[in-house]
Amino acid sequence: MFEKNRIITIANQKGGVGKTTTAINLATALAAIGERVLIVDLDPQGNASTGLGIDRRDRKLSSYDLLMGYSDVTETALDTAVPNLSIVPSTMDLLGFESEIAQQPDRAFKLRRALNSEAASNYSYVLLDCPPSFNLLTMNAMAAAHSILVPLQCEFFALEGLSQLLETVNQVRQTVNPTLDIQGIVLTMFDSRNNLAQQVVSDVRTYLGEKVYHTLIPRNVRVSEAPSYGKPAILYDLKCAGSQAYLQLASEVIQRERRRKAA
């Protein structure tokens, strides 16, 4: 058994909540303050890979190969334009993953096995970017992770979706990963001019208390533009409100990890 890094699953069963944007920019912010970070792109759409400038032609090996045991982290991970940040890219091959392993008794533990390696332990943080659904890919991510970080959009149905996700986390604890912890809930796409958004923040904080990060990720045009240039927002426009928020979030994540170690 290798010394464990911190493996954090970034997941929400709902699409369009800023999950991949959070994965990319949190990873970049962690790398910028000196952590060695790996993203594993588990979404067949491959948005995290594209958002970090990884051309599809360069994805000779992918997270599919890693999950299936055809390649290891060293062979599969690609360097990005961000120092200290690598990514295991995604391809459409992932679409066949579930049907290929559905009958295998260890189907939920493919990723855990792949990340239990010396190569993976060289990263201080491994962030797992999940598809917007609860399928075998997400199950693998939750089975492999120490904790889960949940991006939550500041909108009317936020709490309803959150309760479903927390129920899923409890199911995962009971079946495949009893130590899975909630690292935190990050509120995304916040618009301070919107009374509903303010109410959602208040409700989520009342409901989950300290599990909710203090940092609010604002709606921000520059953050939305950045992926089309194959860059994290922090590289595209460091000074924009969104980039500054992700730097604050990275600081909070590290502070929580320090408190956890000290406890």
Side-chain angles (χ1 to χ4, degrees):
M1 181 67 71
F2 296 94
E3 183 181 345
K4 286 289 184 184
N5 40 31
R6 286 304 285 177
I7 303 175
I8 301 175
T9 288
I10 300 177
N12 191 323
Q13 287 144 289
K14 190 173 185 304
V17 298
K19 185 172 48 57
T20 296
T21 301
T22 295
I24 290 171
N25 287 291
L26 175 58
T28 301
L30 288 167
I33 53 183
E35 302 290 346
R36 191 155 183 246
V37 186
L38 176 69
I39 293 178
V40 181
D41 189 349
L42 294 171
D43 189 339
Q45 294 180 66
N47 290 339
S49 307
T50 303
L52 283 168
I54 305 299
D55 193 287
R56 291 191 181 276
R57 291 169 296 184
D58 295 330
R59 303 177 201 179
K60 304 290 191 284
L61 296 170
S62 69
S63 50
Y64 169 81
D65 298 288
L66 185 69
L67 284 158
M68 296 300 287
Y70 301 152
S71 63
D72 61 22
V73 170
T74 304
E75 296 167 317
T76 316
L78 300 174
D79 292 336
T80 71
V82 181
N84 296 324
L85 175 59
S86 301
I87 185 167
V88 173
S90 162
T91 63
M92 297 298 277
D93 290 344
L94 276 180
L95 289 171
F97 173 71
E98 193 152 356
S99 60
E100 285 184 53
I101 67 156
Q103 303 306 316
Q104 297 181 18
D106 65 341
R107 59 188 174 274
F109 302 103
K110 300 288 188 182
L111 187 58
R112 181 190 289 184
R113 187 173 297 117
L115 294 178
N116 182 27
S117 67
E118 186 174 5
S121 72
N122 288 330
Y123 297 94
S124 44
Y125 286 91
V126 178
L127 304 185
L128 310 177
D129 185 36
C130 296
S133 60
F134 186 65
N135 56 19
L136 263 175
L137 288 165
T138 305
M139 174 71 89
N140 265 267
M142 290 188 179
H146 299 105
S147 60
I148 178 170
L149 186 154
V150 183
L152 195 69
Q153 188 176 352
C154 295
E155 59 160 27
F156 183 68
F157 291 113
L159 275 174
E160 183 180 300
L162 181 59
S163 61
Q164 290 172 352
L165 186 68
L166 295 178
E167 191 176 310
T168 298
V169 171
N170 283 330
Q171 289 173 358
V172 169
R173 282 189 187 130
Q174 291 165 20
T175 53
V176 297
N177 188 355
T179 61
L180 183 67
D181 183 33
I182 295 176
Q183 220 283 345
I185 313 294
V186 58
L187 292 161
T188 62
M189 303 181 189
F190 175 71
D191 184 346
S192 59
R193 300 164 299 179
N194 185 324
N195 289 335
L196 175 61
Q198 301 274 13
Q199 186 61 49
V200 169
V201 171
S202 174
D203 289 349
V204 174
R205 292 200 192 284
T206 300
Y207 183 47
L208 281 166
E210 286 301 306
K211 285 293 183 189
V212 185
Y213 295 105
H214 297 295
T215 303
L216 296 171
I217 308 297
R219 280 196 182 277
N220 188 263
V221 173
R222 303 296 277 173
V223 170
S224 301
E225 289 174 352
S228 64
Y229 292 88
K231 291 181 179 180
I234 291 167
L235 279 191
Y236 181 62
D237 185 349
L238 176 62
K239 294 182 179 179
C240 76
S243 295
Q244 291 300 306
Y246 278 114
L247 287 167
Q248 290 172 17
L249 178 63
S251 177
E252 273 199 81
V253 167
I254 287 176
Q255 286 168 17
R256 289 191 180 198
E257 288 300 326
R258 284 178 181 157
R259 287 200 297 270
R260 179 194 59 78
K261 286 178 183 173

